[in-house]
Amino acid sequence: MKLTILGCYAATPRTITNPTAQVLEIKNQMFLIDCGEGTQVQLRKHKIKFSRINHIFISHLHGDHFYGLVGLISTFMLLNRENDLHVYGPKGIKELILMQLRASGSYTGYQLFFHELEGTESETVFEDEKVVVKTIPLKHRIYTNGYLFQEKNQQRKLNIEAVEKHKIDTCYYQKIKFGGDIILEDGTIILNKELTFDPEPEKSYAFCSDTVYNENILPIISEVDALYHETTFLESEAHLAEKTMHTTAKQAATIALKARVKTLIMGHYSTRYGNIELFKEEAQTIFNNVILGDDGKEIEL
């Protein structure tokens, strides 16, 4: 699992920073999470293939989290995209994007699917044989969701030494990986546990976009491998966090501690601060394992 942060600053874009967008590579799939202005430029800068992005998850309809979406959709069209594109986001996102496309006389030569969300409880919004994605209901000035990405490690690991010992043909390997027992020609049953090892532990990643401090998310993000949580303000501006329904570095660290996550990744910094190291210093007074997110940072989970 690999996370590439394309942008992680709040409010308006600057020449040196970008608003929220990131790419999560998991089980050989790439998911784009939020799509602020400049996202497609950042994708090119970090040599991420546009054609590999088939699912885009938008947390909420504030501009710094989705204003880059219609541009990216249009660029996909110019690149003669053929793959279906699925967009997940708050109710209203379909109308907003299609209105812009219609007004500009644009169209897509590929299938564009919108999955609009309005639920207030965590729900599964995407699932295949390798990955499941669930919403994390957040509390912000408008309807907002975070997203929980979880691996599904169904395949067990082959014990090659045991398989070769019993002279089992390679055509049975897939059956064994998915938990099947093997019957030899003489009728002997070889149990799967003798032929395999347990699969790799399933990794998980939680993305928590703009939100006020909210302990309701703790059961959903409990013990995730990595939590990205917004940290717009330092504790000295906690009154602004409450007013604008954002979070301080100390509050995000408290969430990480109470949820027993392995790693906290910080971001969505207000540009009022000249040194983002201050966010890490403040968070580590509560929770030690902190990564300071920044534009272009790649994190192996």
Side-chain angles (χ1 to χ4, degrees):
M1 190 184 295
K2 177 183 175 182
L3 179 70
T4 302
I5 298 177
L6 304 175
C8 67
Y9 287 78
T12 56
R14 300 184 297 175
T15 57
I16 56 172
T17 61
N18 294 276
T20 304
Q22 50 186 244
V23 170
L24 181 68
E25 185 171 0
I26 174 173
K27 291 291 187 177
N28 204 36
Q29 298 188 71
M30 280 190 169
F31 298 116
L32 177 63
I33 311 170
D34 274 349
C35 190
E37 291 178 75
T39 293
Q40 57 182 311
V41 175
Q42 286 292 90
L43 288 170
R44 290 192 182 281
K45 182 177 180 180
H46 297 287
K47 297 180 171 59
I48 296 172
K49 290 184 178 180
F50 286 22
S51 60
R52 292 193 61 193
I53 297 173
N54 298 316
H55 300 272
I56 300 175
F57 297 86
I58 301 297
S59 61
H60 64 298
L61 297 181
H62 278 160
D64 57 326
H65 293 262
F66 92 104
Y67 276 176
L69 181 58
V70 70
L72 183 60
I73 288 173
S74 298
T75 296
F76 284 155
M77 172 193 68
L78 296 174
L79 295 175
N80 298 314
R81 180 189 177 95
E82 296 181 355
N83 293 351
D84 296 346
L85 180 66
H86 294 262
V87 177
Y88 307 79
K91 186 175 181 180
I93 193 169
K94 179 178 180 179
E95 179 184 2
L96 282 166
I97 297 300
L98 293 185
M99 179 178 64
Q100 293 176 86
L101 292 175
R102 283 194 298 266
S104 62
S106 302
Y107 64 92
T108 61
Y110 56 90
Q111 292 289 319
L112 179 59
F113 298 96
F114 290 92
H115 306 266
E116 295 193 305
L117 309 173
E118 52 185 333
T120 57
E121 302 290 333
S122 180
E123 59 183 317
T124 298
V125 293
F126 171 83
E127 184 171 11
D128 63 12
E129 68 279 3
K130 295 181 179 180
V131 180
V132 59
V133 184
K134 300 176 181 179
T135 57
I136 306 171
L138 301 174
K139 292 183 179 181
H140 192 41
R141 300 193 302 277
I142 61 175
Y143 178 78
T144 305
N145 282 303
Y147 295 98
L148 173 65
F149 299 82
Q150 296 172 301
E151 290 182 340
K152 293 167 65 176
N153 290 345
Q154 298 174 328
Q155 292 191 36
R156 298 180 63 78
K157 297 175 66 177
L158 280 179
N159 181 339
I160 296 298
E161 184 178 338
V163 169
E164 291 178 346
K165 173 185 174 182
H166 292 289
K167 298 179 180 179
I168 297 172
D169 193 278
T170 56
C171 68
Y172 294 108
Y173 282 9
Q174 281 298 103
K175 177 182 178 180
I176 296 170
K177 286 181 180 179
F178 282 95
D181 300 330
I182 296 297
I183 302 177
L184 302 180
E185 291 183 1
D186 63 2
T188 302
I189 299 175
I190 308 299
L191 298 177
N192 185 266
K193 66 181 181 180
E194 298 179 36
L195 302 173
T196 62
F197 301 111
D198 290 338
E200 293 288 340
E202 297 174 338
K203 294 185 178 69
S204 55
Y205 172 67
F207 170 84
C208 287
S209 175
D210 299 15
T211 182
V212 73
Y213 180 83
N214 177 19
E215 293 190 1
N216 291 339
I217 69 174
L218 294 179
I220 305 171
I221 66 172
S222 177
E223 299 184 350
V224 296
D225 290 280
L227 164 66
Y228 174 93
H229 197 293
E230 75 118 296
T231 51
T232 305
F233 296 105
L234 295 175
E235 197 65 20
S236 54
E237 281 71 47
H239 62 289
L240 293 178
E242 183 177 1
K243 179 181 178 180
T244 60
M245 299 194 76
H246 281 293
T247 309
T248 68
K250 185 176 181 180
Q251 289 171 338
T254 302
I255 290 289
L257 180 68
K258 291 187 175 184
R260 302 184 303 279
V261 309
K262 293 183 176 66
T263 302
L264 170 64
I265 304 170
M266 308 173 74
H268 202 267
Y269 318 109
S270 168
T271 54
R272 73 180 59 234
Y273 303 104
N275 182 7
I276 61 173
E277 287 289 338
L278 297 173
F279 289 85
K280 185 174 183 178
E281 292 173 7
E282 181 171 288
Q284 286 184 324
T285 63
I286 302 293
F287 184 81
N288 188 55
N289 196 14
V290 175
I291 294 177
L292 198 62
D294 206 353
D295 293 7
K297 178 164 284 190
E298 298 180 353
I299 303 169
E300 295 283 350
L301 306 178

